[in-house]
Each structure stands twice: as C-alpha cells, then as structure tokens.
Amino acid sequence: MLAAAVASVLNKTFDLAPPFLIGAAVDIVVEGEGSFIASRFGVVDPRDQLLVLAAVTAVVWMLESLFEYLFRVLWRNLAQDIQHELRLETYAHVQDLEIAYFSDRQTGELLAVLNDDVNQLERFLDVGANEILQLLTTVVLVGAAFVVLIGDLAWLAFLPMPVIVFGSLRFQRALEPRYTLVRERAGQLSAMLSNNLQGLATIKAFTAETREQARIGAQSRRY
C-alpha cells in the first residue's frame, strides 16, 4: 500500500510538471541569456537552453509514465489480494455461524455480501484510493505554487475549499442510506435469481416462465 501510494504521488507530481516546463520555455524566449535555466544550469545560449529543456521534458514524461505503470500494477495487485483474503475470511466466518442464523436469510443475500460487497472494496482500492491521493497531491503542489508565485492572490484559490468540503460531506451523508438500500436490493435480486435457477424445473413444470420473468424484471427495476 505504501509503495502504491508513493507511486501515485510521484506520478501526479511529474504529471503537473508540463505547465512549469512551458513557463521555462517562454522564459528562455523572453529573457534569453538571463532566463531561469541560464541562471541555474549555467547554459547561456538560448538554443542550448532549449535542448536542456527538451532533455528535462523527456525525462519528466518517462518518469510520469513509469510511475503510472507502477501505481496501476501495485494498486491492482493489492486490490486483488485483499479481495481474495476478505472473501475467504468472510466465507469462513459464515461457515462457523449457527444454523439458526440462516433460517431467516436467503442464500442470495449472503452471495451479495460475499461477491458484490467484496468487489466494491476491490474497485475502491483499484481506482478510488489512487484518485484520492492524486487529488490531495494536486491540491498541495498547486497550492504551494500559488503561494510561492502569487502569494497575495493565493487565498483566492483556497477560498471555495471549505464550501466544497462541506458540500461533499453533506452529499456523502445523504448518499449513505441510499447506498444501503441499493445493497439490500442487490441482495434481494441475487436471492431471487438463485432461487429461480435452483427451482427452474418447478417453474417449467407449472409453465410459470412468463410470471417469473416479470417478477425478476420488477425486482431488477427496483434495484
């Protein structure tokens, strides 16, 4: 997880470099021998400065691509490992429960937990965790650049943040009960499908295919 997080942060760091590289290129054209690259690298000729900038740009893009590959592989492997272990632990726990526990529960509901809910966690680790880290990296690095380059106006960039954070938290709280309802209906649909597949011979014997398809359709629509 630490290695994946580091790769995500470094990928976003190099991904944010192009605006600074473009700024350095403009600086070379405008300032010539007095540019930033000339003062830092001791390269005076503008043509040579552009060659140095081209080399730096190539390195930046290679590193950005390298860390993108790494974070994708690392997060995906982590997600798959945790998904596998969690599913086995959950199944082992279900197996150890008393028989009475299953009397008022349908198989499909347990399948929804063992499969769908575990997959939700896998999807978060595969995609969501990286997106959160890269968002935080962007805020920190771009915010720092604002403070260094235009300190007097930097506060304007941060002004909307409390509103955005407050709105996000309110939205998340509003979503929680709806998400719980979605998971419940996913379990109900899974239970109905499981029962119907197991009882397919009975459905055919009573020529109830049309009725059962309508029931499945209604439950799927509710989900």
Side-chain angles (χ1 to χ4, degrees), residues 37 44 123 127 130 145 168 178 221:
I37 289 182
V44 177
R123 279 191 284 273
V127 179
N130 170 69
S168 298
R178 300 174 188 221
R221 177 69 63 185

Side-chain angles (χ1 to χ4, degrees), residues 13-34:
T13 300
F14 288 112
D15 190 47
L16 293 172
F20 295 97
L21 296 174
I22 293 170
V26 173
D27 188 48
I28 292 171
V29 174
V30 174
E31 300 293 338
E33 296 181 0

